[in-house]
Amino acid sequence: MVCVTDVMNDEIETKRALCFACSGLAGVEATVKDGRVVKLSGEPDHFMNKGWLCDRSRAFMEHLYHPDRLNYPLKRAGRRGENKWERISWDQALDEIAKKLKEIKADYGAEALASVCGTGRGHQQIIKERFMNLFGSPNSANAGQWCAIYNYMLEAAIYGGATRGKSGLGVGKCLVLWGKEPAESQACTFRNLLELKRAGTKFIVIDPKLSLSVDKLADVWLQIRPGTDAALALGWLNVIIAEELYDKEFVDKWCYGFDQLKERVKEYPPEKVAEITWIPEEKIVEAARLYATSKPASIQWGVKGGDMEGVNASSMMHAKCILRAITGNLDVPGGDIIQGPCEKANYGPIFECLDMIPPKQRAKQLGADKYRAWTWPGYEIIYEAGKRYWYGKGCFGGYAPACDFPSLWRAIITGKPYPVKALICGGHNPLLANANTHIVYKALKSPNLELTVVLEQWMTPSAMLADYVFPVANWLEKPVVSMHTSQGMGNYVSIGEKVVEPLYDRKPDHYFYRELGLRLGQEKYWCDTLEDEFTWLLEPLLDELGYDSAMEFARKERWWHPPFVEKRYEKINPKTGKQWGFATPTGKAEVYSTWFEQLGYDPLPHYEEPPETPVSNPELAKEYPLILMTGMRFRAMHHSEHRQISSLRRLQPYPTTRIHPDTARELGIKDGDWVFIETVRGRIKQKASLYAGINPKVVEIQHGWWFPEKKAEDPSLFGVFESNANVLTEDDEKHRDAPSGAVAFVPYLCKVYPANE
Ligand SMILES: Nc1nc2c(c(=O)[nH]1)N[C@H]1C(S)=C(S)[C@@H](COP(=O)(O)OP(=O)(O)OC[C@H]3O[C@@H](n4cnc5c(=O)[nH]c(N)nc54)[C@H](O)[C@@H]3O)O[C@H]1N2
Ligand SMILES: Nc1nc2c(c(=O)[nH]1)N[C@H]1C(S)=C(S)[C@@H](COP(=O)(O)OP(=O)(O)OC[C@H]3O[C@@H](n4cnc5c(=O)[nH]c(N)nc54)[C@H](O)[C@@H]3O)O[C@H]1N2
Ligand SMILES: [Mo]
């Protein structure tokens, strides 16, 4: 409803948007006066934020009207990175790009076009996937390889769906935050967690530092050595199984391979795990007991305890799945609720025309020979098991199956296994986000790339190296659907209105992909506008609720949560007359994973010492004695974004490194000093913040830093090599997870010293 909020002045109206300042998607009330947004505030009754709104979301007024926003399509006029551009019309740019893509496809095959994205920005990713599938290229890469989506895939492989927390479904007795700092990373969720705390939930927080969440929530804090979470999880399993604290009935009836698991976890007694993790043995046992005996209990998703731990990523996430399963916490209110795709939507794979990509092309996906879990081979198994179970729809889409990022950069540079000639980058700043900035730089500068297109809101370091840059709308300038079906999982729907028409020549991403698609023979598959796409996406739900369009639903209803089925696995499936069980090949929760087995990986979790630690490489540790964690979230900014927004930059003016006061003193570093942080790969500069809550042997740095105020031209690229965490990280095989190829953002060995110049 567009309601008139001021009876005296009918030029003022209130629109209800969905915030995309992170992936939290809070409800926002936007006051528009004479066509201009004058106020953003939290939507009082929205289930996500309940009237509250963070600084970053409110700063989107500045984002909307900022003088540095990109307003017109640009075409490169000088050398790549020279910062010489000519303004060009959308039509002319799209015609030229379409012509070039036709030539590339004819000469090298469709796989010679790749696309990259990061957090994906909801619809932009699923729309890009449709374009790529229809074009015939399997080479889309995205951040899901190390962030959330692979985790959901793995959950789907183990018990048939992802356990995304859903608000309002019961208060658990115990909640585990494992490598997660919602106080900084998910401010809306953090507020909801504080409420749970007040309602009596006990919190276990596993973090190498005393985070805000440790401070405000933890009943038990396990100060773990970075990168050793898989050992801790196996230690918990050891205690829970040895002390028979698991749910025997559930295990007997619903778990596959428990005996093999029992054998495996014998290798991880608490005393050994204490030595690996630096957590006192009695605390490991205490926490394991608390988790297993408090029912219901839930383990939340957090990227640092799993997704980003390189060699241990799969094992860690697998072990978390096993903990949830054997303690009987799956599908109970207050526990971990398994969600599949949305029953009421033309979700993921359907929306993206995934079936249109021929098997011959799937087989060419970069990295799929080696990292089979994240790519087509792993996806196909999950899809088949899911299809039988979830309303005939399978699971996922949007992000998986994706190609392997590091393999993509190498294919661009070397032309092997085949040439990659064109790249589309949307919702991503690859020079900041990916491990090993130097290889990304080399790829983006490679003469082998004949065409690079970036869809952006700002001129970023990565956009500087493009041939065409298109100006895209932000979330106030377009409608937004949050439906975790865009990741194939989590079946609720939440939707927001467009607040104002896109300014200048900005357009929603949809416009680009549709227009390019039309020029390449994809007419049949595109709706005219983003609004129409959403209507088609939600058609089954809209029909049921009696709305004509997604936008009517956005104004009147706002969100829809499917009815909850407790312990669905026990219920009778009317189609088969048998119990539902789980959407896996065996119909059980596969603690021993037939998925990993089929793909040729370890079917049970294990712990491997990461390649760069004081234990695995004591020689290196002599020169680089500190353990490095990268990617410390902070509320003011999202990844590489928002450095231009002055109200936010005031909150966080510089890149920051946290270091223990004792360590700093020994190194001659004072609070606020600029310091170099160096690994074997290079060094960067950040400001030291002395913090007694971090282990003296550990330092933590922020990621995403570049400086819009610095020189734009290559090789400065807004100072992209000066303070960027990923100058220090690595993306070679040795540091990656065997099944998924997930890179490590933690742990590495580093040294820190004053930057005196
Ligand atoms: N060292 C280290 N590196 C990390 C991490 C870490 O912890 N440590 N974290 C990793 C994680 S989890 C992730 S998810 C990645 C994130 O990596 P990215 O997704 O690359 O992160 P952003 O900087 O948010 O980049 C998004 C870009 O998209 C633009 N943008 C915003 N909205 C839209 C839109 O609607 N359409 C389009 N086309 N563009 C838009 C923004 O201006 C911005 O430049 O970084 C990863 N990198
Ligand atoms: N403000 C802001 N919010 C964001 C983002 C952002 O850039 N800025 N990015 C968004 C995205 S895409 C993501 S993926 C999420 C991620 O958000 P979270 O899942 O909360 O992850 P992080 O904040 O990266 O790290 C969480 C905690 O893990 C700890 N940690 C570091 N290394 C280890 C380790 O080895 N083991 C364990 N157990 N803990 C460790 C850190 O000290 C930190 O307190 O945040 C999202 N929200
Ligand atoms: Mo992420």
Side-chain angles (χ1 to χ4, degrees):
M1 171 184 45
V2 180
C3 57
V4 177
T5 54
D6 184 339
V7 280
M8 300 302 290
N9 184 348
D10 56 9
E11 297 303 323
I12 294 183
E13 56 176 0
T14 304
K15 298 265 177 137
R16 291 189 296 181
L18 216 51
C19 169
F20 224 123
C22 72
S23 304
L25 299 133
V28 178
E29 281 188 353
T31 310
V32 184
K33 187 169 183 245
D34 300 329
R36 198 179 162 89
V37 184
V38 292
K39 190 177 166 206
L40 298 176
S41 53
E43 182 177 339
D45 303 319
H46 198 276
F47 71 94
M48 190 66 210
N49 52 319
K50 303 179 181 98
W52 183 77
L53 207 61
C54 75
D55 289 336
R56 197 166 71 241
S57 184
R58 271 186 269 118
F60 264 75
M61 258 161 42
E62 255 173 282
H63 192 288
L64 181 63
Y65 298 112
H66 199 289
D68 294 352
R69 274 287 295 276
L70 291 170
N71 296 327
Y72 302 98
L74 298 172
K75 181 180 177 180
R76 174 165 66 85
R79 277 174 289 113
R80 231 177 227 158
E82 209 184 354
N83 199 23
K84 292 201 174 132
W85 306 94
E86 66 178 85
R87 188 171 145 185
I88 181 174
S89 71
W90 277 86
D91 272 339
Q92 193 194 332
L94 284 158
D95 286 344
E96 291 177 13
I97 292 167
K99 179 165 175 282
K100 184 74 191 165
L101 287 180
K102 276 185 202 159
E103 288 165 13
I104 288 174
K105 190 171 177 176
D107 293 348
Y108 301 97
E111 64 277 13
L113 168 67
S115 79
V116 290
C117 98
T119 47
R121 303 312 163 152
H123 81 267
Q124 89 84 27
Q125 169 63 4
I126 59 177
I127 279 164
K128 174 161 72 62
E129 286 318 291
R130 182 194 291 168
F131 173 81
M132 291 297 286
N133 290 327
L134 294 171
F135 188 79
S137 173
N139 290 326
S140 284
N142 63 73
Q145 190 171 14
W146 62 71
C147 169
I149 319 295
Y150 174 61
N151 180 88
Y152 301 152
M153 258 179 104
L154 201 155
E155 284 191 87
I158 305 302
Y159 39 62
T163 59
R164 295 185 67 98
K166 187 180 150 199
S167 55
L169 267 186
V171 177
K173 290 241 171 62
C174 173
L175 203 144
V176 184
L177 296 178
W178 204 317
K180 184 180 175 84
E181 165 60 320
E184 302 289 354
S185 66
Q186 292 176 300
C188 298
T189 302
F190 183 64
R191 292 168 57 83
N192 297 335
L193 296 179
L194 288 170
E195 260 175 47
L196 289 183
K197 172 94 184 161
R198 283 192 285 274
T201 301
K202 291 254 186 293
F203 281 79
I204 302 174
V205 185
I206 300 158
D207 199 306
K209 69 165 189 262
L210 198 158
S211 63
L212 257 170
S213 298
V214 171
D215 185 33
K216 300 282 181 239
L217 294 170
D219 295 280
V220 178
W221 169 35
L222 303 182
Q223 188 173 22
I224 193 166
R225 170 163 73 96
T228 64
D229 297 83
L232 178 64
L234 284 155
W236 277 23
L237 286 167
N238 175 295
V239 173
I240 291 167
I241 293 175
E243 298 187 4
E244 300 194 15
L245 303 176
Y246 56 93
D247 182 331
K248 292 198 192 62
E249 206 187 315
F250 181 86
V251 166
D252 286 348
K253 189 134 194 247
W254 294 112
C255 287
Y256 178 82
F258 186 72
D259 290 338
Q260 289 100 312
L261 172 73
K262 209 167 161 175
E263 281 309 302
R264 173 63 60 88
V265 303
K266 281 185 187 152
E267 296 168 31
Y268 299 91
E271 60 277 16
K272 176 173 161 189
V273 171
E275 201 178 303
I276 297 172
T277 60
W278 297 352
I279 303 168
E281 187 183 332
E282 58 285 2
K283 286 207 93 172
I284 295 170
V285 176
E286 176 202 346
R289 285 181 188 151
L290 176 65
Y291 168 68
T293 58
S294 314
K295 290 200 177 173
S298 159
I299 305 179
Q300 302 276 300
W301 165 78
V303 284
K304 290 289 162 35
D307 312 44
M308 295 184 177
E309 288 192 346
V311 294
N312 287 304
S314 279
S315 278
M316 176 53 201
M317 294 186 265
H318 186 182
K320 271 198 237 182
C321 292
I322 297 173
L323 282 165
R324 295 183 183 115
I326 70 165
T327 52
N329 277 306
L330 290 176
D331 262 0
V332 294
D336 290 311
I337 291 149
I338 299 176
Q339 303 192 39
C342 188
E343 195 179 344
K344 304 282 180 205
N346 296 314
Y347 86 106
I350 302 167
F351 189 84
E352 291 151 30
C353 305
L354 196 63
D355 285 348
M356 297 295 292
I357 186 154
K360 178 171 115 288
Q361 288 305 99
R362 297 178 195 184
K364 292 181 190 162
Q365 192 168 49
L366 290 167
D369 48 342
K370 203 166 175 75
Y371 303 107
R372 295 176 291 281
W374 170 240
T375 46
W376 267 103
Y379 178 83
E380 259 164 4
I381 300 171
I382 292 173
Y383 185 75
E384 279 311 310
K387 204 157 73 179
R388 289 197 302 276
Y389 190 93
W390 297 112
Y391 343 104
K393 288 186 177 181
C395 281
F396 281 98
Y399 296 76
C403 92
D404 175 59
F405 255 127
S407 302
L408 171 60
W409 306 131
R410 284 158 180 78
I412 292 172
I413 294 164
T414 64
K416 290 189 180 113
Y418 51 75
V420 174
K421 294 285 174 188
L423 186 71
I424 299 178
C425 171
H428 191 32
N429 199 349
L431 282 169
L432 278 304
N434 285 261
N436 191 354
T437 308
H438 288 289
I439 202 143
V440 181
Y441 177 72
K442 205 166 159 191
L444 295 181
K445 289 267 296 188
S446 168
N448 295 339
L449 263 189
E450 292 176 12
L451 174 69
T452 305
V453 177
V454 172
L455 279 72
E456 253 299 352
Q457 295 162 338
W458 312 86
M459 186 53 76
T460 64
S462 307
M464 274 293 297
L465 298 178
D467 302 317
Y468 295 86
V469 182
F470 288 93
V472 297
N474 76 14
W475 55 269
L476 292 167
E477 301 170 286
K478 67 187 175 194
V480 172
V481 161
S482 154
M483 181 187 170
H484 286 286
T485 56
S486 64
Q487 299 160 358
M489 290 294 172
N491 40 14
Y492 77 88
V493 174
S494 172
I495 181 162
E497 291 180 88
K498 168 165 67 182
V499 173
V500 287
E501 287 302 319
L503 306 182
Y504 307 96
D505 227 355
R506 302 174 196 163
K507 313 241 185 238
D509 296 86
H510 173 262
Y511 183 86
F512 171 84
Y513 293 107
R514 176 179 179 274
E515 286 291 324
L516 195 57
L518 297 187
R519 285 164 170 80
L520 294 167
Q522 303 179 359
E523 313 60 12
K524 232 167 89 191
Y525 302 93
W526 292 93
C527 299
D528 289 350
T529 62
L530 183 57
E531 284 82 350
D532 295 343
E533 295 284 3
F534 287 167
T535 297
W536 183 73
L537 176 71
L538 301 178
E539 199 172 58
L541 177 66
L542 299 174
D543 284 350
E544 186 177 293
L545 299 175
Y547 294 118
D548 290 334
S549 70
M551 289 307 111
E552 190 190 352
F553 175 77
R555 284 190 296 276
K556 295 184 179 159
E557 188 116 354
R558 306 284 289 144
W559 63 82
W560 174 82
H561 282 141
F564 170 56
V565 185
E566 184 167 349
K567 296 194 184 173
R568 180 192 187 89
Y569 55 85
E570 279 184 344
K571 306 277 184 313
I572 301 297
N573 176 347
K575 277 216 183 106
T576 61
K578 293 189 198 139
Q579 285 174 304
W580 277 95
F582 293 88
T584 60
T586 59
K588 295 188 171 188
E590 297 192 354
V591 298
Y592 177 97
S593 166
T594 63
W595 185 61
F596 279 138
E597 192 172 44
Q598 274 190 70
L599 294 171
Y601 304 110
D602 188 351
L604 288 165
H606 62 268
Y607 172 73
E608 190 180 324
E609 184 64 27
E612 217 179 285
T613 72
V615 179
S616 60
N617 199 339
E619 249 335 281
L620 191 67
K622 285 182 193 156
E623 196 186 338
Y624 298 96
L626 298 168
I627 298 176
L628 177 68
M629 320 193 282
T630 73
M632 172 175 34
R633 305 309 190 246
F634 50 101
R635 273 209 191 170
M637 292 161 186
H638 188 251
H639 298 295
S640 72
E641 296 179 82
H642 311 132
R643 271 61 182 180
Q644 312 87 342
I645 312 284
S646 46
S647 68
L648 299 176
R649 191 69 185 271
R650 269 197 299 278
L651 298 174
Q652 183 66 51
Y654 309 105
T656 298
T657 292
R658 272 185 168 174
I659 184 164
H660 194 278
D662 295 345
T663 313
R665 197 175 318 113
E666 273 170 35
L667 296 168
I669 293 166
K670 293 187 301 304
D671 195 50
D673 281 355
W674 283 100
V675 292
F676 283 118
I677 305 99
E678 182 178 323
T679 68
V680 278
R681 288 157 290 274
R683 73 175 189 188
I684 61 164
K685 222 160 79 166
Q686 299 201 347
K687 271 199 170 199
S689 162
L690 271 45
Y691 185 61
I694 197 164
N695 187 306
K697 294 194 184 93
V698 176
V699 294
E700 186 180 30
I701 63 174
Q702 291 177 348
H703 75 302
W705 276 94
W706 58 289
F707 305 92
E709 65 275 17
K710 290 200 174 175
K711 191 171 168 205
E713 292 87 306
D714 188 32
S716 160
L717 298 176
F718 303 104
V720 76
F721 298 103
E722 291 175 22
S723 299
N724 173 357
N726 285 318
V727 167
L728 308 180
T729 59
E730 184 52 273
D731 71 342
D732 69 355
E733 202 183 312
K734 194 170 85 177
H735 288 82
R736 303 213 274 148
D737 180 46
S740 68
V743 293
F745 290 125
V746 63
Y748 290 96
L749 288 171
C750 74
K751 61 179 166 188
V752 179
Y753 48 96
N756 289 325
E757 36 207 92

